[in-house]
Amino acid sequence: MGPHPVSAPGAPRADTAHRHRTVHRLAHNGPVSTTDPHPAPEAQFAALLTDEGRALLEEVRDTEPARELAVATRLRREHPAALVNAALGQARLRQRAVAKFGAVDAARMFFTPDGVEQATRTSVAGYRARRMRESGVTSVADLCCGIGGDAIALARAGIRVLAVDRSPLTCAVARANARALGLTELIEVREADVTEVATDGYDAVFVDPARRGGRGRIFDPEAYSPPLSWAVDAVRTAGRGALKIAPGIPHEAVPDGVETEWISDRGDLKEAVLWFGTGAPDSRRSTLLPGGDSLTASLAAMPPDPAVREVGRYLYEPDPAVIRARLVASVAAEVSGGLLDETIAYVTSDVLRPTPFATAYEVTDHLPFHVKRLKALLRERGVGVLTVKKRGSAVEPEELRRKVRPQGPHAATVFLTRVAGAPTMLIGHPVPNGA
């Protein structure tokens, strides 16, 4: 195809000059044209906040993906196509957001695709806000606020928040969320470059740098936006606050003089936080939600690595927050256990002791890795539900399931790992609540 013809400024496009131009009037937002299928994101979002937009959002809120086309076709007979598309898109985002924000809040809030992906889970944001409140913080400058997930948690903890982001659309969404949740008296949203915002009027600073770019996740902390070094200086200057970082950050990239906390939620590692001004020495902490149990150790007094020992009756799988904080030794000491291998974070013991920091399994079989032997054993015991866990093994769980083809009424867990350097299979079952 050749290049598209270029019209003079202000002239009608050749493909639309003779069409009837229908314009729908939306309250507080001026005209929205049905002939413009791609309005600016800010205008598209503003249209959702009008009476017509909110009515559409309510109408499509429970639309299933398979019905979207039929629903859109029907609604476009009475509403601008761009507005219908925006409402259906927002409904999808709200459905996705339930996992992070809960059904009640997600149904009232507004989202962007990046906002749903990058926003802090409510349980984690609430925990962090409570820590700040309990430390005496009453006001926070929330830099790189996104759609306002952390600002909402801080405000609900009774903390006054200045929420800053440089994206006009993101700020509009954050303002709408503060209004939707009745928090406008505590949350001020400001569109600005965070590097140019004065924070001296606030008790603490919280920074959540963007860790995704056009090519996906960013692993170099200095490639965050803003860079980790700038964010560290911003919080240090304030004297108190927190900096959210990727949980996989290299330990050598963590600055001196901070408490580094890894947080998991129901066994999934969610994030890491650098805490400043807490009065604690350089330290590491792992915190498990929803219970809030924490393990801590100062860097000057980290427990020594556990000894490697033979396989005991029980295997303990430490929570990923414990592993990232390098506090597996604390779990091993708690259960009088040792390591299966010096490079593998599985703890084994002859005693069963309840601990929130690891899941306990009773080991029934300890075998060298051999697919045919595993298949025969599973068939003999009628195992049809097989959970495959691995650490220190190159075998893919789905590939193993395909090869052994488990069948039967019983369940089992197989651990693919190393014991004293040798590829090994440990078969067992979880012990409920470690008892």
Side-chain angles (χ1 to χ4, degrees), residues 305-319:
D305 291 339
V308 175
R309 52 154 291 174
E310 72 281 358
V311 178
R313 181 177 177 183
Y314 299 99
L315 182 147
Y316 291 85
E317 182 183 28
D319 185 273

Side-chain angles (χ1 to χ4, degrees), residues 15-106:
D15 60 345
T16 61
H18 301 294
R19 295 181 185 176
H20 176 67
R21 195 172 183 84
T22 302
V23 174
H24 294 258
R25 297 283 171 177
L26 302 180
H28 311 301
N29 196 47
V32 174
S33 172
T34 57
T35 61
D36 181 5
H38 303 294
E42 294 85 354
Q44 193 176 55
F45 178 70
L48 288 176
L49 303 181
T50 65
D51 291 341
E52 183 180 9
R54 291 181 183 278
L56 272 175
L57 280 172
E58 183 61 28
E59 187 166 354
V60 304
R61 62 180 297 177
D62 297 320
T63 301
E64 298 175 358
R67 295 185 56 244
E68 277 193 4
L69 180 58
V71 170
T73 301
R74 173 176 59 81
L75 292 175
R76 285 170 187 158
R77 299 184 189 122
E78 300 179 1
H79 304 280
L83 181 58
V84 172
N85 293 342
L88 285 168
Q90 192 62 220
R92 287 194 299 271
L93 293 174
R94 285 177 167 180
Q95 291 165 7
R96 286 173 53 195
V98 169
K100 284 189 174 182
F101 291 89
V104 174
D105 280 353

Side-chain angles (χ1 to χ4, degrees), residues 158-189:
I159 296 172
R160 179 172 58 88
V161 185
L162 170 65
V164 184
D165 202 282
R166 67 182 178 183
S167 163
L169 175 59
T170 300
C171 286
V173 173
R175 289 190 191 97
N177 286 334
R179 286 194 299 272
L181 301 180
L183 298 170
T184 53
E185 291 187 1
L186 285 170
I187 299 176
E188 174 195 349
V189 179

Side-chain angles (χ1 to χ4, degrees), residues 131 135 236 239-240 255-260 275-285 296-300:
R131 274 204 71 178
S135 72
R236 284 202 198 280
R240 197 160 40 155
D256 294 333
V258 301
E259 174 197 313
T260 310
W275 290 95
F276 298 76
T278 63
D282 282 356
S283 60
R284 293 174 183 157
R285 174 194 292 245
T296 61
S298 70
L299 293 185

Side-chain angles (χ1 to χ4, degrees), residues 331-354:
V331 172
E334 187 176 345
V335 300
S336 300
L339 297 179
L340 295 175
D341 184 278
E342 62 181 3
T343 63
I344 304 295
Y346 282 140
V347 174
T348 186
S349 175
D350 293 317
V351 300
L352 181 62
R353 292 199 180 126

